[in-house]
Amino acid sequence: MTKFSAVSLLKNALTGHRNWTEQWPDSQPKEEYDVVIVGAGGHGLGAAYYLAKEHGITNVAVIDKGWLGGGNTGRNTTIIRSNYLYDESARLFDHALDLWQDLSQELNYNVMYSNRGVLMLAHNVHDVQSFKRHVHANRLNGVDNQWLTPEECKEVCPPLSLRKDARYPVMGGALQRRAGTARHDAVAWGYARGAAARGVDIIQNCPVTAIRRHPDGSVAGVETARGFIRARKVAVSAAGHTSVVMDSAGVRLPLESYPLQALVSEPVKPVFPCVVMSNAVHAYISQSDKGELVIGSGTDQYTSYSQRGGLPLIEHTVAAICEVFPVFNRMRMLRKWAGIVDVTPDRSAILGKTPVKGLYVNCGWGTGGFKATPGAAHTLAWTVAKDEPHPINAPFTLERFRTGRLIDEAAAAAVAH
Ligand SMILES: Cc1cc2nc3c(=O)[nH]c(=O)nc-3n(C[C@H](O)[C@H](O)[C@H](O)COP(=O)(O)OP(=O)(O)OC[C@H]3O[C@@H](n4cnc5c(N)ncnc54)[C@H](O)[C@@H]3O)c2cc1C
């Protein structure tokens, strides 16, 4: 595999870009692996990368029913931040944010991480009180977050309207400067390339139809469209389809799967320097390097696997954007799409061991798991390698729904992108 460097770019430019080698081979399944990971999204591929790199476990297959990165990893609006309220979440997301900072160098692949800042707008007294509480809680956890006046918000984001007669006037905002966005596909591709270079097999277009267990209950391997594959350990990282896959192993998960939509506008010159989220109006927006405004919607009101999403949600989102940014009233929207997100009752992830020996799970990221990709993958690899929780993922157990020790970011944030 060619290492990207100034020299290799120059050499290939001079030879008409005809000599680049393939970034990862399209592997065929072997009969047996030490670890099989179900789902080649950022989380699954990342876990394979860290298993190989940090734990020396390379007899690993990542299996996907479609193409790698074709799930929510390639469909999200790429907001990255770590200013969550509860200690457990702040630790996990901030671990990820630390890894984002030099992920491009780590992978020798440009994931285009841009720490342009994420600004969360307050539109009423409740928002002001709740975001100030977030700022204080974050600071106690060593997570950067600061409170801005409306005028300071406008300085950070010039297209913002501060009209006093607006239905939702801006009363201030919480800004995390270290937060931002990254190129979602590149994250999957970078991890895939790094994992494959260390010997991991990436098997695409191969649905896992069931997880098989030994008579003693421990994991035996996975049934796939291309036959049975034996595995000592299986980790499921299949986002909205995780509950179906895990059900085949006899593990019921408290997950509901919803379509979540996003859309982009026609491309325009750089006008939007940061990411803005407005939970009260329910809009979030940034601008891609191509110039499109990237706009996120909410989940549909009903569960579904249709990967399409309803029009009323999109209409509501666009109305919300026009409310906060009247300057965009005449923009044309180009396209919209949806992913199937896996939502837990407390809107926090389930990450770690399961009651089945040798079976691990990483799910429940719902509308906000892209930002967690490096951190979740890194700690999942540790758990799979050592068969024990990582100190950071330890609270994100399945048992918390039995014991009641929830990490209730749903109540804390209302929206968790
Ligand atoms: C529209 C939208 C906007 C979002 N915006 C943000 C955001 O701004 N910030 C943020 O942090 N998060 C956001 N998210 C959430 C984020 O995208 C996800 O939480 C995250 O990408 C999940 O990554 P993953 O690797 O776990 O899942 P995925 O990328 O979905 O990967 C799971 C893979 O499993 C595969 N799979 C499923 N079933 C099987 C099977 N039976 N056999 C084999 N393979 C299978 C799928 O094909 C898929 O490739 C958004 C999501 C959507 C849909």
Side-chain angles (χ1 to χ4, degrees):
M1 186 182 67
T2 316
K3 189 169 174 347
F4 292 116
S5 67
V7 176
S8 72
L9 284 175
L10 184 65
K11 215 169 101 193
N12 280 284
L14 292 175
T15 52
H17 293 291
R18 281 187 299 271
N19 300 321
W20 287 112
T21 49
E22 67 179 353
Q23 297 296 301
W24 56 82
D26 199 13
S27 304
Q28 295 307 312
K30 293 193 294 206
E31 279 181 9
E32 182 170 2
Y33 290 93
D34 290 336
V35 180
V36 162
I37 297 174
V38 183
H43 286 238
L45 292 163
Y49 171 81
Y50 292 116
L51 269 175
K53 184 181 171 224
E54 300 205 347
H55 304 281
I57 302 174
T58 56
N59 186 23
V60 176
V62 187
I63 306 180
D64 202 286
K65 69 183 168 93
W67 66 95
L68 72 84
N72 294 345
T73 297
R75 293 167 187 272
N76 72 85
T77 48
T78 79
I79 298 175
I80 295 170
R81 63 185 180 88
S82 66
N83 51 355
Y84 283 73
L85 181 65
Y86 291 108
D87 298 353
E88 298 88 340
S89 321
R91 262 199 301 278
L92 178 55
F93 287 104
D94 214 44
H95 178 52
L97 196 53
D98 284 344
L99 293 171
W100 278 114
Q101 307 298 323
D102 50 11
L103 192 60
S104 295
Q105 288 77 10
E106 162 80 22
L107 298 178
N108 181 233
Y109 203 85
N110 189 0
V111 302
M112 295 165 75
Y113 178 67
S114 153
N115 50 355
R116 58 185 68 182
V118 172
L119 176 62
M120 301 172 82
L121 296 177
H123 298 282
N124 50 47
V125 175
H126 170 79
D127 279 354
V128 172
Q129 290 171 342
S130 138
F131 287 160
K132 284 189 174 171
R133 182 180 173 212
H134 271 73
V135 169
H136 296 313
N138 288 157
R139 288 192 169 183
L140 285 172
N141 276 318
V143 174
D144 68 305
N145 199 4
Q146 69 187 103
W147 177 253
L148 302 186
T149 62
E151 292 69 29
E152 288 168 334
C153 291
K154 174 95 181 156
E155 259 171 52
V156 171
C157 184
L160 193 61
S161 164
L162 294 188
R163 271 179 33 215
K164 292 273 182 287
D165 61 343
R167 202 144 57 100
Y168 296 96
V170 174
M171 295 176 69
L175 174 68
Q176 185 174 30
R177 290 190 188 271
R178 218 159 46 105
T181 58
R183 171 77 200 270
H184 45 17
D185 302 313
V187 175
W189 298 338
Y191 275 128
R193 188 171 172 269
R198 287 169 174 80
V200 170
D201 281 354
I202 298 167
I203 300 159
Q204 302 180 76
N205 300 311
C206 180
V208 169
T209 49
I211 293 172
R212 205 194 279 178
R213 291 169 63 175
H214 289 298
D216 70 359
S218 63
V219 109
V222 292
E223 302 282 0
T224 78
R226 297 195 215 161
F228 178 66
I229 301 173
R230 281 196 304 279
R232 285 197 306 114
K233 295 178 177 180
V234 173
V236 179
S237 206
H241 296 85
T242 305
S243 51
V244 181
V245 177
M246 292 293 287
D247 202 38
S248 69
V251 179
R252 283 200 69 206
L253 293 177
L255 286 179
E256 288 183 324
S257 296
Y258 292 91
L260 175 69
Q261 300 180 77
L263 66 162
V264 289
S265 72
E266 58 189 334
V268 288
K269 289 198 171 160
V271 286
F272 208 85
C274 58
V275 181
V276 167
M277 301 174 60
S278 166
N279 292 358
V281 187
H282 208 162
Y284 52 103
I285 177 167
S286 63
Q287 187 171 20
S288 75
D289 293 328
K290 269 194 284 181
E292 300 161 335
L293 295 180
V294 182
I295 298 169
S297 184
T299 49
D300 276 5
Q301 304 296 318
Y302 42 83
T303 53
S304 167
Y305 290 104
S306 72
Q307 203 151 274
R308 219 178 281 151
L311 205 53
L313 252 297
I314 287 290
E315 287 176 345
H316 167 80
T317 302
V318 173
I321 293 294
C322 293
E323 187 88 50
V324 188
F325 299 99
V327 67
F328 295 141
N329 269 350
R330 291 177 174 210
M331 295 277 295
R332 287 189 196 131
M333 294 302 134
L334 269 196
R335 58 200 154 83
K336 75 166 187 86
W337 64 89
I340 304 300
V341 296
D342 40 337
V343 177
T344 60
D346 62 359
R347 304 297 191 274
S348 290
I350 304 168
L351 178 54
K353 297 176 68 166
T354 71
V356 176
K357 192 168 166 12
L359 182 61
Y360 308 84
V361 73
N362 170 30
C363 66
W365 293 101
T367 60
F370 177 68
K371 63 180 73 60
T373 304
H378 187 243
T379 61
L380 178 67
W382 163 295
T383 298
V384 172
K386 298 181 189 293
D387 194 35
E388 63 185 43
H390 184 284
I392 291 178
N393 71 24
F396 293 85
T397 57
L398 181 54
E399 287 84 62
R400 74 178 188 273
F401 298 101
R402 193 170 45 80
T403 62
R405 201 175 166 75
L406 303 180
I407 306 164
D408 202 349
E409 293 294 343
V415 67
H417 304 295

